[in-house]
């Protein structure tokens, strides 16, 4: 699992961007357990909490995946793990993350939604047209979600 993270300033400028890598590997003798999945998600939550505390982040958005989770059991599993992250962030920072789907964020920020593997490349190309570049497509997706939240907060406070 790779996760992009982008921190924007109160003016919407990129303050920090990074991609976090949390690989899980299995062998025939040692399959991936639920405990392994939860440990990985807790590691992600702790990394996010560190960034929140370091930069004094007041608003967080998490891309909450769309219908591409596959099997129903996988959707339930990922949804449960998502709420582990949300709960950990709330308990540690008293900031409640907002959720947005990738296609919803893209439609709001870039003017089109859509799904599929070619969407990541379209996001990168659209951002490059605005002279915004990132090291990975995960960071580009995180930026679009962050811009979505930035716009939401701006609308609420104006």
């Amino acid at each position: 699992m790779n996760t992009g993270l982008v921190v924007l300033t109160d003016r919407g400028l990129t303050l920090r961007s990074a991609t976090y890598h949390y690989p899980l590997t299995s062998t025939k003798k040692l399959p991936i357990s639920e405990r392994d999945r939860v440990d990985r998600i807790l590691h992600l939550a702790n990394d996010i909490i560190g960034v929140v505390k370091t930069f004094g982040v007041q608003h967080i958005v998490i891309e909450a995946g769309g219908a591409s989770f596959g099997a129903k059991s996988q959707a339930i599993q990922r949804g449960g793990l998502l709420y582990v992250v949300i709960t950990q962030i709330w308990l540690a920072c008293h900031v409640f993350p907002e959720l947005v789907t990738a296609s919803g964020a893209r439609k709001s920020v870039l003017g089109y939604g859509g799904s599929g593997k070619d969407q990541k490349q379209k996001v990168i190309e659209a951002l490059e047209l605005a002279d915004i570049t990132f090291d990975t497509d995960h960071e580009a997706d995180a930026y679009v979600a962050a811009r979505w939240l930035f716009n939401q907060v701006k609308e609420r406070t104006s």
Side-chain angles (χ1 to χ4, degrees):
M1 176 177 82
N2 295 318
T3 300
L5 185 140
V6 171
V7 177
L8 299 180
T9 67
D10 59 354
R11 293 184 176 190
L13 303 173
T14 302
L15 181 63
R16 183 181 196 301
S17 67
T19 298
Y20 294 90
H21 306 279
Y22 306 100
L24 284 180
T25 55
S26 65
T27 63
K28 288 183 181 182
K29 290 184 179 181
L30 190 60
I32 297 169
S33 69
E34 288 305 305
R35 173 66 190 254
D36 295 332
R37 288 182 177 92
V38 171
D39 284 346
R40 175 176 67 174
I41 262 338
L42 287 173
H43 189 91
L44 168 63
N46 285 328
D47 285 342
I48 293 171
I49 289 165
V51 170
V52 169
K53 289 182 175 183
T54 298
F55 293 98
V57 173
Q58 297 177 358
H59 304 281
I60 299 170
V61 63
I62 295 176
E63 185 183 299
S68 62
F69 279 146
K72 186 177 182 182
S73 62
Q74 188 179 15
I76 292 168
Q77 177 190 61
R78 287 190 182 185
L81 293 174
L82 170 68
Y83 278 93
V84 168
V85 172
I86 290 171
T87 302
Q88 292 299 313
I89 293 169
W90 172 253
L91 291 172
C93 305
H94 297 286
V95 177
F96 194 83
E98 297 192 41
L99 304 177
V100 66
T101 62
S103 63
R106 283 192 299 266
K107 186 170 185 175
S108 175
V109 173
L110 302 175
Y112 62 88
S115 60
K117 294 183 180 187
D118 64 332
Q119 291 304 313
K120 289 188 179 278
Q121 188 58 39
K122 286 182 180 179
V123 167
I124 290 169
E125 290 169 3
L127 294 177
E128 285 175 348
L129 287 174
D131 288 329
I132 300 169
T133 59
F134 293 98
D135 292 337
T136 69
D137 60 349
H138 304 289
E139 292 170 42
D141 282 344
Y143 175 81
V144 171
R147 282 307 301 190
W148 172 85
L149 181 58
F150 178 81
N151 294 341
Q152 296 295 311
V153 169
K154 195 171 156 184
E155 285 177 20
R156 285 183 224 146
T157 57
S158 59

